[in-house]
Amino acid sequence: MKRLQFKSVGMKLFVVFFAAIVLLSSVLGWISYSVSRDTVLEQVSEATLGQVAQAGDKIDFLFAQYEGLSKQLAVDTLLREDLVTVSNPGVGIVEKTASETRIRERLNGIVNMDNKLQGVRLVALNLGTSNSYSSVGASGTTSSEAIKTKIDQVVKANGQTVWFPSEAKGFMGNETKATISMGRLLKNLNFPQATYVLVMDVKERAIGDMLGNVQIGQNGKLRVLTAENRIVYDPDVNNLMQTSEIVVPANSGDQGTFYTEQDQMVVYQQMKTAPWLLAGYAPSGDFLQATDKLWMVTLIVVGAAILIAVLIGLYMMRDIGKPLNDICLLMEEGEQGNLQVRTSFHRQDEIGRLGKSFNRMMEQISNLADQTRLSAQQVLLTAGELAEVSRSTSQSAGEIAAAMEQISQGAGSLAVQAEQENHLADHIGTQMSRVTESNTIMQGAADDVLEVAGVGSGHMTRLVEKTEQINRVNRKIVHDAEQLKEKTSSIHKILELMNEITKQTNILSMNATIEAARAGAAGKGFMVVADEIRELAVRSKQSIGTVAAITMEIHQEVQHAVDALKNSSPMFDEQLHSVQEAQEVFGNVRQQMDGFLSEIQDSTTSIQGLLDSQKLLTDSITSGASIVQETNAATEEVASMSAEQHRVSERLVSLSGTLEKLSKQLEESLVRFRT
């Protein structure tokens, strides 16, 4: 029964082999199944993506044909001329009717040549039914807000094609079949009234015909989706323009494959002509039928592995667990005192070696028990003698410990006194250190004051130099102003002379005028010259008066400046005197601070000498205290050793008694072993 317990080695080996084989086979089976499943899905997704890409290329090719056809209509000269004709109000009815007939025939010809087209329209920008044209199969034009919005989108595209998703009732909302529509603006820059919107309605089933031979799995579907996830094409017409439950993530690239939470494989391809996606989806189970067989094989292999693990486990329990259990039983008998137990294994493996080692161990234990019995008797005799000696040693150690205790107390008193003297010396040293620090701080402050005084003295020296320079400049300005005043006086005299010349010129001109009047007609020319001279004299007098006034103002301003500079000159002299006095004050401060620094340095030197003496005293006291402490420590150590020896002696007495008891117990214990 013990072999079947989980704690037994056999059961543990069984569980380990069983779990290892089952786990390994299960993991390998699951890995092979997962790899096969992923490989199948990857290959299927690549093949499906290729099918979807081909289908998308077919649809793009179809749409590209219609875009090319719309470009041809945009550059068709006859069609443009007919549109101009029908849009020109000055054209006759006969010519207009002929143009309308040609337009409709052109549109009907396009529809008749392609059975995928539901109809073609040329819609006027004002959505008027009278000037809009439709082919066979196309309904009439409507002017609802939805249609206006679509027409505005085409106009904003400015000649580029615009594709409109499938609608159950067509582009105009009045069709009987679902269509996909394309719009393009046919501009006419020479005659803007002839600008039309070309609308081509493609039958919705045309896309279904192209996608009919594309099969994705057994239950897969193909859809064309807008960027807003609206359904453009679906085999079920009722789903058109509904929100698709299959959502292609934004910014996912032009093509790709992904799996939904419902385990649906989705393959998508971005169309090149229209801003739509061609998406195909199918349950992943449609592609994993082959892997289901592999899963069944994996389960069978796991079952076989379980059976093999059970057989191997039972063999390990019988071949390893049973011999180990037999050895355990024999060791339990030996534990009860039977040293005669032996194994009977006849094997050459590790278990056989274990049995032989067990037999040799039991023989050695039997011999050891016999020797121990004899040794116990001898130890018992020795323990009695040791107890007697330990008692006498304990008494001597107690007496030595008492004497050393008294010596230790006396040394302790000396150490306390030395410690007090040491504290007093330390206190004196602390106070003197503080005085030294104060002197150091004062010396630093004096150095700072001395440095500031030096800087101030330098500044005052430079200020004296600047003040002297200003005083010299002031005197030079006064001298220049005096010279300028003299020159303005000279100018005034020159102006008076010119004024006198002007008066003389005026008198001469008057005399000339009188003489010209006397001469009559012969003196008219001379009279004109006299008048000009008189006018020149008048203007010269006015100019001289203006210059004289300006010169007088300059003379007055120069006089004011000279007076102001003369008044400020004593102030500059006084300032120079004050600055010189301040310079002398800074010099005196510097001399006094030099003397103060010298005294502080002398005080610091004296205190430093006291500190050295205090250190010598402290060292002496400390040395004495150290000697006392060492003596006290040695005494305490000796006392401690004596006490320890006393305790050891007492412990020896106790151990001797214990050893005597153990010897008796050992002798009694060996009695129950059978050797």
Side-chain angles (χ1 to χ4, degrees), residues 563-576:
D563 294 338
L565 291 173
K566 287 182 179 180
N567 293 330
S568 62
S569 180
M571 296 174 64
F572 282 109
D573 294 337
E574 184 179 354
Q575 180 182 359
L576 178 61

Side-chain angles (χ1 to χ4, degrees), residues 121-140:
R121 297 184 180 86
L122 286 173
V123 182
L125 296 181
N126 59 2
L127 297 180
T129 56
S130 60
N131 54 350
S132 298
Y133 304 97
S134 304
S135 66
V136 176
S139 61

Side-chain angles (χ1 to χ4, degrees), residues 83 86-88 96 100 103 107 120-134 139-144 147-155 171-172 184-187 192-199:
L83 291 176
V86 299
S87 302
N88 190 352
K96 184 176 182 179
E100 290 178 346
I103 292 172
L107 300 179
V120 181
R121 297 184 180 86
L122 286 173
V123 182
L125 296 181
N126 59 2
L127 297 180
T129 56
S130 60
N131 54 350
S132 298
Y133 304 97
S134 304
S139 61
T141 304
T142 61
S143 58
S144 63
I147 303 303
K148 290 181 180 179
T149 302
K150 295 178 182 179
I151 296 299
D152 290 340
Q153 292 181 10
V154 177
V155 173
F171 182 83
M172 290 295 176
R184 180 191 288 273
L185 182 66
L186 302 182
K187 296 188 295 183
Q193 293 83 353
T195 300
Y196 278 77
V197 174
L198 173 64
V199 178

Side-chain angles (χ1 to χ4, degrees), residues 89 121 210-211 307 394 418 497 530 665:
R121 297 184 180 86
M210 292 183 177
L211 302 180
L307 179 60
S394 177
L497 179 60
Q665 292 177 359

Side-chain angles (χ1 to χ4, degrees), residues 69-237:
L69 181 59
S70 64
K71 290 181 181 178
Q72 292 178 5
L73 293 176
V75 298
D76 190 340
T77 306
L78 296 177
L79 180 61
R80 292 169 64 89
E81 292 177 355
D82 289 335
L83 291 176
V84 171
T85 301
V86 299
S87 302
N88 190 352
V91 176
I93 296 176
V94 176
E95 186 178 357
K96 184 176 182 179
T97 302
S99 297
E100 290 178 346
T101 302
R102 285 194 297 271
I103 292 172
R104 290 189 178 92
E105 289 177 353
R106 184 79 170 90
L107 300 179
N108 291 334
I110 294 172
V111 174
N112 292 331
M113 291 174 59
D114 191 349
N115 58 359
K116 295 182 180 64
L117 286 176
Q118 178 67 28
V120 181
R121 297 184 180 86
L122 286 173
V123 182
L125 296 181
N126 59 2
L127 297 180
T129 56
S130 60
N131 54 350
S132 298
Y133 304 97
S134 304
S135 66
V136 176
S139 61
T141 304
T142 61
S143 58
S144 63
E145 291 297 327
I147 303 303
K148 290 181 180 179
T149 302
K150 295 178 182 179
I151 296 299
D152 290 340
Q153 292 181 10
V154 177
V155 173
K156 290 180 180 179
N158 196 24
Q160 300 295 325
T161 57
V162 179
W163 286 94
F164 296 95
S166 299
E167 297 187 14
K169 293 185 179 181
F171 182 83
M172 290 295 176
N174 53 8
E175 300 284 352
T176 57
K177 296 180 180 180
T179 60
I180 297 174
S181 302
M182 182 204 71
R184 180 191 288 273
L185 182 66
L186 302 182
K187 296 188 295 183
N188 193 325
L189 300 178
N190 297 326
F191 195 78
Q193 293 83 353
T195 300
Y196 278 77
V197 174
L198 173 64
V199 178
M200 304 179 72
D201 295 332
V202 182
K203 295 178 181 178
E204 189 265 345
R205 63 179 179 83
I207 298 179
D209 295 339
M210 292 183 177
L211 302 180
N213 57 351
V214 179
Q215 181 65 31
I216 301 177
Q218 296 180 355
N219 302 307
K221 292 183 180 180
L222 275 174
R223 284 179 176 175
V224 179
L225 306 176
T226 65
E228 293 79 16
N229 204 38
R230 297 284 183 177
I231 299 175
V232 177
Y233 165 77
D234 190 90
D236 188 0
V237 181

Side-chain angles (χ1 to χ4, degrees), residues 169 249 384 397 473 490 536 548 577 607:
K169 293 185 179 181
V473 172
S490 300
L536 177 61
H577 181 68
I607 293 173

Side-chain angles (χ1 to χ4, degrees), residues 242-361:
Q242 300 296 322
T243 302
S244 175
E245 68 276 9
I246 301 299
V247 180
V248 177
N251 300 325
S252 55
D254 294 338
Q255 64 178 4
T257 304
F258 65 92
Y259 293 87
T260 65
E261 296 179 356
Q262 294 77 22
D263 202 20
Q264 295 267 3
M265 185 188 73
V266 181
V267 181
Y268 62 90
Q269 169 75 28
Q270 178 69 47
M271 296 180 62
K272 300 177 182 178
T273 53
W276 301 334
L277 283 172
L278 178 59
Y281 64 95
S284 300
D286 291 354
F287 313 106
L288 299 177
Q289 294 179 357
T291 57
D292 293 339
K293 296 180 181 180
L294 179 61
W295 178 245
M296 293 302 297
V297 173
T298 302
L299 294 178
I300 293 173
V301 171
V302 171
I306 292 173
L307 179 60
I308 294 172
V310 171
L311 296 176
I312 294 175
L314 293 175
Y315 172 76
M316 297 299 294
M317 289 179 64
R318 179 180 177 278
D319 193 60
I320 298 176
K322 184 178 181 300
L324 292 177
N325 184 63
D326 294 341
I327 292 177
C328 290
L329 294 175
L330 294 175
M331 293 185 70
E332 289 173 356
E333 291 184 14
E335 181 184 2
Q336 299 298 325
N338 185 10
L339 301 180
Q340 298 177 352
V341 294
R342 300 292 185 273
T343 61
S344 59
F345 299 152
H346 302 286
R347 302 170 57 165
Q348 300 300 322
D349 55 5
E350 286 78 2
I351 294 178
R353 292 170 55 191
L354 178 63
K356 294 177 181 179
S357 299
F358 177 78
N359 293 336
R360 289 193 297 269
M361 181 186 69

